Structures are given as structure tokens and as C-alpha cells.
Amino acid sequence: MKTFFFNLRLSYEECRPLYLGTVQNLIVRTDTGERVQLPVVNLRPFVEMQGLKGRFRLIVNEYNKIHSLERVN
């Protein structure tokens, strides 16, 4: 398993495409500078009235499939 940490800061308006279906994936830059593509369906539970903000931990398996994604702040 591999662990990635990253920060997100999107306003509520910037999150609208996540729900409208116009965006299927979001690419984030991890603390180590790597780019990771996430299906937006995994981020939807973290969207609040203020938007999508926080520090996250992503764990993927040996096939780069998501094992877990959680907010850690």
C-alpha cells in the first residue's frame, strides 16, 4: 500500500462541476509533488457549504486502486 497526503481548497461554486457530472476526475498534487488522479465520487462526501477544504490522506493498493481516503486535519 502507498500513502499520499495532499491539501484541497475549493469554494462551493468550484465544487459544482463535481455534482453536475461535467468533471469525472480531479488531479491533485501530493506533498511529495506527485500528481494523483481521483474520481470525484470519492471527494463528494467531503464537500460542505463552504466547499471542499482540508488535508487528506489517500491510501492506494499495489494496483493504484483507492483503499481509503480521509480528511486528517
Side-chain angles (χ1 to χ4, degrees), residues 19 39-48 52 56 69 71:
Y19 284 96
V40 297
V41 68
N42 296 99
L43 295 169
R44 286 181 186 151
F46 301 105
V47 177
E48 300 172 343
L52 178 58
F56 294 86
L69 174 65
R71 191 181 338 227

Side-chain angles (χ1 to χ4, degrees), residues 3-70:
T3 302
F4 300 97
F5 288 92
F6 60 92
N7 296 304
L8 282 178
R9 182 182 270 295
L10 299 171
S11 69
Y12 187 77
E13 268 306 304
E14 291 171 314
C15 292
R16 288 192 62 188
L18 305 179
Y19 284 96
L20 295 175
T22 56
V23 174
Q24 299 298 314
N25 298 293
L26 186 68
I27 297 174
V28 299
R29 187 165 306 271
T30 67
D31 289 356
T32 59
E34 296 174 86
R35 291 169 38 139
V36 176
Q37 180 174 305
L38 293 169
V40 297
V41 68
N42 296 99
L43 295 169
R44 286 181 186 151
F46 301 105
V47 177
E48 300 172 343
M49 292 300 292
Q50 299 82 15
L52 178 58
K53 297 176 182 148
R55 181 158 177 79
F56 294 86
R57 176 175 45 217
L58 170 68
I59 300 175
V60 298
N61 65 19
E62 61 272 12
Y63 305 106
N64 290 324
K65 299 297 180 188
I66 296 174
H67 175 72
S68 65
L69 174 65
E70 62 184 339

